Amino acid sequence: MKLIIGNKNYSSWSLRAWIAARAGGFTFEEIRIPLFIPGSRERILSHSPSGKVPCLIDHGLAVWDSLAIGEYLAEKTPQLLPQDAAARATARAVTAEMHSGFQNLRSKMPMNIRKDYAGHGHTPEVDADIARITAIWKDCRSGAGGVGGDYLFGGFSLADAAFAPVCFRFRTYGVKPEGTAGEYLATMLANPWMKEWETAALAETESIPSEDLYG
Ligand SMILES: N[C@@H](CCC(=O)N[C@@H](CS)C(=O)NCC(=O)O)C(=O)O
């Protein structure tokens, strides 16, 4: 298996697929293509028909888009989704909500692990996105009671992978949810795969000026 990803500091979609693959226990070769430099588009297109990362290659099959990659991995490793059918449906719903929504948060608080932009990026629309995300985390954690584990549905699932970049965003922009949502954020930031990604992001030297919104 090969996983094509972008810069670890910036590429939130790449993190979702990468951490799902790690959580599923897959062995994979990582091909990192720094984004938005001469030649990067051609390099991505040589693997990914959409011209975007992430893209998973498994025995010649290309699976692009982080949502499709997560589902593909979960077919091979069912523990990437909750065992209970109702919890599984909710996990898919919140994952899809993250995948298709929260445009205000995405545009004003892009993932940028190396920066400290505490206090930047807030607008009423961004704050509404933050409120919805923390409500999701709280609801999922209260429903996970009794299952065991500190993640949204107990054990680490595709839903946690979907929100992984938001956790880095919250730290960068100084968003500090209270109560259960804050505990969940701390769990995610202490997760060993998150730490591994963060260490690699900090070691990167490329900058994408259009993503460094606040200096
Ligand atoms: N919906 C896609 C989004 C993928 C995406 O937008 N990837 C960005 C990097 S985070 C990309 O490849 N950008 C390069 C480009 O647009 O040339 C997914 O979930 O995988």
Side-chain angles (χ1 to χ4, degrees):
M1 243 183 214
K2 290 182 193 167
L3 186 65
I4 323 302
I5 59 171
N7 312 55
K8 289 188 171 172
N9 187 56
Y10 298 106
S11 184
S12 56
W13 298 110
S14 298
L15 168 57
R16 293 181 171 102
W18 182 92
I19 203 164
R22 272 278 187 276
F26 295 93
T27 303
F28 59 95
E29 180 192 346
E30 182 182 303
I31 300 177
R32 195 187 73 96
I33 301 179
L35 302 173
F36 305 118
I37 58 170
S40 54
R41 181 155 179 81
E42 292 73 20
R43 282 188 70 196
I44 295 170
L45 275 169
S46 74
H47 303 280
S48 171
S50 67
K52 304 244 182 233
V53 290
C55 182
L56 182 79
I57 313 287
D58 189 23
H59 294 100
L61 171 72
V63 185
W64 61 96
D65 196 289
S66 57
L67 198 58
I69 294 169
E71 287 289 340
Y72 181 78
L73 296 176
E75 281 192 43
K76 293 176 178 288
T77 307
Q79 80 259 21
L80 279 173
L81 283 166
Q83 287 186 355
D84 174 74
R88 200 159 58 244
T90 308
R92 285 191 163 117
V94 298
T95 301
E97 185 174 348
M98 183 68 240
H99 196 73
S100 60
F102 304 114
Q103 297 304 336
N104 295 299
L105 181 88
R106 281 178 210 284
S107 63
K108 299 286 191 308
M109 295 186 174
M111 191 172 88
N112 199 328
I113 294 170
R114 291 199 300 258
K115 296 283 187 185
D116 178 354
Y117 285 153
H120 288 278
H122 289 273
T123 64
E125 295 78 17
V126 171
D127 289 344
D129 281 356
I130 291 169
R132 173 64 191 143
I133 288 168
T134 52
I136 290 172
W137 290 357
K138 193 167 162 254
D139 286 353
C140 292
R141 284 296 305 142
S142 64
V147 179
D150 295 328
Y151 294 97
L152 292 178
F153 294 88
F156 195 101
S157 75
L158 293 185
D160 302 291
F163 287 101
V166 173
C167 296
F168 282 134
R169 285 179 166 119
F170 277 14
R171 192 180 58 190
T172 295
Y173 296 90
V175 178
K176 295 189 169 122
E178 295 184 342
T180 325
E183 287 161 21
Y184 172 69
L185 177 61
T187 296
M188 283 293 283
L189 291 175
N191 170 284
W193 305 308
M194 291 284 277
K195 290 274 183 204
E196 185 186 343
W197 181 275
E198 179 188 346
T199 301
L202 294 176
E204 288 179 345
T205 53
E206 312 96 6
S207 289
I208 303 178
S210 59
E211 298 286 306
D212 293 344
L213 292 188
Y214 308 103

